[in-house]
Amino acid sequence: MITSQRSLSGSSQSPRSPSSQPLYLSVSVTDPAKMGNGVQAYISYKVITKKLWWNKLPPSGCSLAIRGETNFPDYQGPEKIVIRRYSDFVWLRDRLFEKYKGIFIPPLPEKSTVEKFRFSAEFIEMRRQSLDTFVNRIASHHELHQSDDLRIFLQADEQTMDRARFQETGIFKKKPADLMQIFKDVQTRVSDVVLGKEKPVEESNPEYEKLKHYIFELEDHLAEAQKHAYRLVKRHRELGQSLSNFGKAVKLLGACEGDSLGKAFSELGAKSEILSNKLQKEAQHLLMNFEEPLKDYVRAVQSIKGTIAERATAFRQQCELAETVKLKEIDLNKLRLTRSEKTADAEHEYEELKADSEDATRRFETIVRLMDEEMGRFQEQKTIEMGLAFHEFAKGQARLAKGIADAWRSLLPKLEACASSVNM
């Protein structure tokens, strides 16, 4: 559970908090349960929300909060339990992405379409952990935790949540004819760019170019690291299975001998099976605490790329409106010179376009400012969480190596004694 209880970093006080003490929402995604049958089956989760505040700072080096009730008017009571499914989490992310331009919305785990995997215990637990991470990152974000959509997600009953999820918003509210026109406009714009009729409007900012290069490079490196982490997990599991099979075979061999050699073989087989269990446990630990965090950060970088795309769109809209205003101003001046009866309508249209252009400029500037703030927060969070993941990896490998060495070392005297007795 990623909450204020884990770390002080990235947290901030809600402006609606009644006191000067920092307020936090602690959210747990628990108790996954299969609902329905066949193609209609899905997994539901309990989402438990608690309101926390710190009535004193924790001791140095300790990140545990002192719990207590607080008066947070948007939330009912100190604790709330609701039932949610994966599509509810998707709804929350889509709503936040639509409303909070410039903020890096936390990523969701992928939706498995393979029947035999999506209801496996391992897949369900990995998804539960990822959903827990997702919602707690939102709840601990100084802007997103004030979202009405988050409050609905954490507080509303299932019927209200269903109505909210099926409510059409944004582009999905448009009629089919409108959507077809949007697609035609996009197709025309792309064709013009490809044929050289129109050059794409792009932001020429060295710092921004450096940021984009960093994000694309980071995605490649994280994806490569995650790929090899997957191979490590697979290797641990395969080695564990091989040791298990070897252990069983050697134990059967020992049963055939029936003397000191047979006893030594039996003990060798038993040790092999013990080590097999250690490898399987370490593989699971590696999966949940190393591979999954790496995969989550690959998704996070992809989410940042979505924000970069939104910034590019906002910049293009700003430039296009500014150019339109200039052309409209030229036309308006011509009408004023000729004292045309259309001047009044043209002035009204010009003022509306000018207001739209100013709004577009403000939107773009807001996105730029928020992205700068978000990059600092992302870097800090990445340093902490990636450091923790690699620490868990190294600690697990050291623990496994020691366990394997101790197990084989304890067996050496017996095998040496057996070999000595044969030589005598």
Side-chain angles (χ1 to χ4, degrees), residues 366-424:
T366 299
I367 289 175
V368 171
R369 176 180 59 80
L370 289 174
M371 279 190 69
D372 288 344
E373 295 173 2
E374 288 291 285
M375 274 308 299
R377 188 184 63 83
F378 171 76
Q379 294 285 39
E380 181 182 352
Q381 187 179 50
K382 176 171 64 67
T383 299
I384 293 171
E385 295 186 359
M386 285 293 94
L388 179 63
F390 278 91
H391 177 264
E392 285 295 314
F393 167 72
K395 187 171 69 174
Q397 294 302 294
R399 182 176 57 242
L400 179 63
K402 184 179 183 302
I404 291 174
D406 289 346
W408 291 134
R409 192 178 294 113
S410 67
L411 194 60
L412 285 176
K414 296 176 182 178
L415 293 175
E416 288 169 356
C418 179
S420 298
S421 66
V422 171
N423 291 332
M424 293 175 60

Side-chain angles (χ1 to χ4, degrees), residues 288-353:
M288 302 304 294
N289 296 285
F290 188 58
E291 185 194 348
E292 275 301 304
L294 285 172
K295 189 185 292 184
D296 180 64
Y297 264 90
V298 172
R299 294 190 292 256
V301 171
Q302 291 167 349
S303 180
I304 293 173
K305 287 170 66 178
T307 304
I308 288 174
E310 289 291 325
R311 174 169 170 166
T313 298
F315 179 77
R316 186 174 67 249
Q317 289 173 345
Q318 171 197 242
C319 293
E320 289 173 351
L321 277 169
E323 186 65 26
T324 304
V325 167
K326 288 179 182 178
L327 295 173
K328 186 60 67 175
E329 187 176 12
I330 293 171
D331 292 341
L332 178 60
N333 288 333
K334 289 179 180 177
L335 290 172
R336 283 170 176 166
L337 287 172
T338 60
R339 297 185 179 184
S340 171
E341 60 183 18
K342 297 179 180 179
T343 302
D345 290 339
E347 285 177 342
H348 178 70
E349 187 177 347
Y350 170 76
E351 291 300 326
E352 285 187 339
L353 273 172

